[in-house]
Amino acid sequence: MKTLFRILIVLFSLAILYYYTSDSTDELKPLEGPNSKSTVIPKTVVPEGFEDALPRPETGISTYINQESKKLYKDFGEPSRIDKSAFGYEWWVYNYDNKSIAMFGVERGKIVQAYIAGEKLDVTPYKIGQTLDEIYRMTIVNPEITVNIGENIYTFSLTEYDMHTRILVKFDEVFAQLYIDQFTDTLIGIRFLNSETLVKHRPYEMTFVGDLIPTPNLNSYVLQQSNEGYSRQLFDIVNVFRQYEHLPALEWDVDTSIVAMEHSEEMYTENYVSHDSPKFGSLKERLESHSVSYNEAGENLATAYFDAIEAAHGWFNSEDHRQLILNDDFTHVGSGVFINYYTQIFLDK
């Protein structure tokens, strides 16, 4: 009888310990994007010489740039959804069962950019999964790229990190950003875009002669829609990343997304980047305040990325943040974006 009583005491103690430790949280250092250090410098002297552009591909997704958006309906059908953006264009999103995603930026009826992740679509002259060595053998890769728009000249300078993780390539009338997984040295995403959109984004350090292309002033409605669109895009892209590693897709969690959105908005308004909120406490306390139950939770934070695509690839190229994205124990995720503050919370429910 005494032995049974002791066993019961041990089991009860273990149950108490599990109750207080099972809802553990992983908190990582927030990621600051390269855009935080990028500068825009006006110049009066025209740069000498311009690099050669590669011939524009005759097939593949890049051929859609600068074409009318009705071609998307003809070739791809109705988009899964249409998201607002902070740059004046809309994202037409085609989500292929978490295995591939195609997003087309449409502005005033014209396709101004396209982003592809996954292996279903033609990204000629490249292929998703292609090695960095192969890309360097077939591509003219320059640390400085010039863009001419009328009498204006814009010059982008790439860092050594850029040259290995987000390469900018100049083709005739179109540019390509190649997103490289630095842990496998393979191409995992690509963005094709026209000159005006590239200059609006300012993804690298930029000098210019002439005038800047202004970005639109967003009203509160468009801002909210843009934030919500970027939040869903983080979810879509992260699931494609998991598919690369043959992991099950995460499910969207509404309550957790509210927690993430509130945290991103507070970080923006209070000008801080941390897992601990001055008002609402730690990740554990923030989740509890919305009655979110879980066994384990982890949170990725980022700021100073110009859109969700850049933030997602930034996390995936950071070892600790990548481990959260590829954690096989997690089942659900919630995302929240406010301006250029990004929060993504992973849960084992």
Side-chain angles (χ1 to χ4, degrees), residues 112-129:
V112 298
Q113 67 173 315
Y115 168 77
I116 305 297
E119 300 178 357
K120 283 193 173 184
L121 297 175
D122 182 0
V123 293
T124 300
Y126 304 104
K127 291 183 179 180
I128 299 298

Side-chain angles (χ1 to χ4, degrees), residues 113-170:
Q113 67 173 315
Y115 168 77
I116 305 297
E119 300 178 357
K120 283 193 173 184
L121 297 175
D122 182 0
V123 293
T124 300
Y126 304 104
K127 291 183 179 180
I128 299 298
Q130 192 171 15
T131 67
L132 183 61
D133 285 343
E134 291 173 342
I135 291 171
Y136 266 90
R137 283 198 297 268
M138 62 178 287
T139 305
I140 300 173
V141 180
N142 291 309
E144 287 196 345
I145 301 290
T146 56
V147 181
N148 297 73
I149 303 176
E151 297 181 355
N152 305 309
I153 302 172
Y154 309 89
T155 303
F156 292 102
S157 299
L158 279 64
T159 65
E160 184 176 349
Y161 178 78
D162 295 330
M163 297 288 284
H164 289 86
T165 59
R166 49 187 204 127
I167 302 167
L168 182 62
V169 181
K170 183 177 182 178

Side-chain angles (χ1 to χ4, degrees), residues 95-270:
N95 196 339
Y96 298 94
D97 301 326
N98 298 314
K99 295 182 179 180
S100 294
I101 186 172
M103 293 167 42
F104 296 89
V106 176
E107 185 172 11
R108 295 190 294 274
K110 186 174 75 171
I111 304 168
V112 298
Q113 67 173 315
Y115 168 77
I116 305 297
E119 300 178 357
K120 283 193 173 184
L121 297 175
D122 182 0
V123 293
T124 300
Y126 304 104
K127 291 183 179 180
I128 299 298
Q130 192 171 15
T131 67
L132 183 61
D133 285 343
E134 291 173 342
I135 291 171
Y136 266 90
R137 283 198 297 268
M138 62 178 287
T139 305
I140 300 173
V141 180
N142 291 309
E144 287 196 345
I145 301 290
T146 56
V147 181
N148 297 73
I149 303 176
E151 297 181 355
N152 305 309
I153 302 172
Y154 309 89
T155 303
F156 292 102
S157 299
L158 279 64
T159 65
E160 184 176 349
Y161 178 78
D162 295 330
M163 297 288 284
H164 289 86
T165 59
R166 49 187 204 127
I167 302 167
L168 182 62
V169 181
K170 183 177 182 178
F171 293 92
D172 290 330
E173 299 181 347
V174 69
F175 294 83
Q177 280 186 283
L178 311 180
Y179 293 101
I180 308 297
D181 179 351
Q182 71 168 347
F183 295 97
T184 63
D185 279 343
T186 57
L187 179 68
I188 59 170
I190 188 167
R191 187 196 309 243
F192 295 104
L193 65 173
N194 65 13
S195 302
E196 292 80 4
T197 306
L198 176 62
V199 174
K200 280 184 183 179
H201 288 170
R202 305 172 195 172
Y204 313 94
E205 183 175 297
M206 186 180 83
T207 61
F208 67 98
V209 177
D211 299 319
L212 278 178
I213 296 177
T215 54
N217 293 320
L218 304 181
N219 59 42
S220 58
Y221 172 77
V222 175
L223 175 62
Q224 178 185 353
Q225 295 297 306
S226 171
N227 292 335
E228 291 176 0
Y230 286 166
S231 299
R232 295 293 302 194
Q233 291 165 25
L234 285 179
F235 168 71
D236 293 334
I237 296 169
V238 159
N239 268 334
V240 174
F241 288 166
R242 287 175 64 89
Q243 181 272 332
Y244 287 148
E245 302 297 326
H246 309 290
L247 295 174
L250 300 170
E251 295 183 34
W252 177 264
D253 191 86
V254 175
D255 291 333
T256 306
S257 295
I258 293 173
V259 175
M261 178 66 76
E262 289 178 350
H263 193 58
S264 289
E265 183 172 1
E266 186 194 33
M267 287 193 296
Y268 174 82
T269 55
E270 301 298 328

Side-chain angles (χ1 to χ4, degrees), residues 43-95:
K43 288 191 172 182
T44 56
V45 179
V46 176
E48 294 182 4
F50 300 98
E51 72 286 339
D52 293 330
L54 294 171
R56 183 172 178 174
E58 297 181 357
T59 61
I61 294 298
S62 70
T63 62
Y64 285 80
I65 304 305
N66 292 328
Q67 293 203 46
E68 293 184 2
S69 58
K70 62 184 180 182
K71 184 171 175 57
L72 295 176
Y73 284 115
K74 178 182 177 182
D75 294 350
F76 295 94
E78 193 77 24
S80 306
R81 66 175 190 274
I82 295 179
D83 298 336
K84 298 288 186 182
S85 82
F87 295 94
Y89 51 77
E90 295 179 327
W91 280 114
W92 292 23
V93 180
Y94 294 86
N95 196 339

